[in-house]
Amino acid sequence: DAAADCVELGAVARLTGRLPLDDAGHLHGPPGLSRLAELLGVSMAKPRAVTMSHWDRVPLSADQLGYAAADAAVSRLVAAELLFPGEGGGATDA
């Protein structure tokens, strides 16, 4: 079951004490992937035209595929950084 291999990165961030805080040291809302990516210095583009597009359509558009691939790649990097700080494998803009 693929769901058994999933991890909620926000929960891992809470457990490891690595929550992305604002300049005043406050957490505003749940830490989504874009906010967690900031731990790596990564800025993720989340264009509304893609995030709110029809993900149930087959085939997915090139923009949707690129968005999904970037999410997957950054998720892996964030997980590695949360679980193994300093050994995340580097990062680039997504």
Side-chain angles (χ1 to χ4, degrees):
D1 179 283
D5 296 330
C6 293
V7 174
E8 167 48 54
L9 293 176
V12 175
R14 282 185 200 88
L15 289 171
T16 60
R18 301 284 311 275
L19 293 170
L21 305 176
D22 65 16
D23 292 336
H26 300 105
L27 176 67
H28 298 280
L33 184 58
S34 291
R35 302 250 331 273
L36 292 171
E38 294 171 7
L39 296 171
L40 300 170
V42 173
S43 174
M44 296 188 68
K46 297 275 189 174
R48 187 169 173 82
V50 177
T51 60
M52 302 304 289
S53 60
H54 296 277
W55 287 88
D56 57 338
R57 290 194 181 156
V58 176
L60 295 175
S61 70
D63 287 340
Q64 288 171 314
L65 291 172
Y67 176 92
D71 263 22
V74 171
S75 293
R76 183 222 154 281
L77 292 171
V78 168
E81 180 60 28
L82 290 172
L83 297 171
F84 310 103
E87 300 175 29
T92 58
D93 282 347

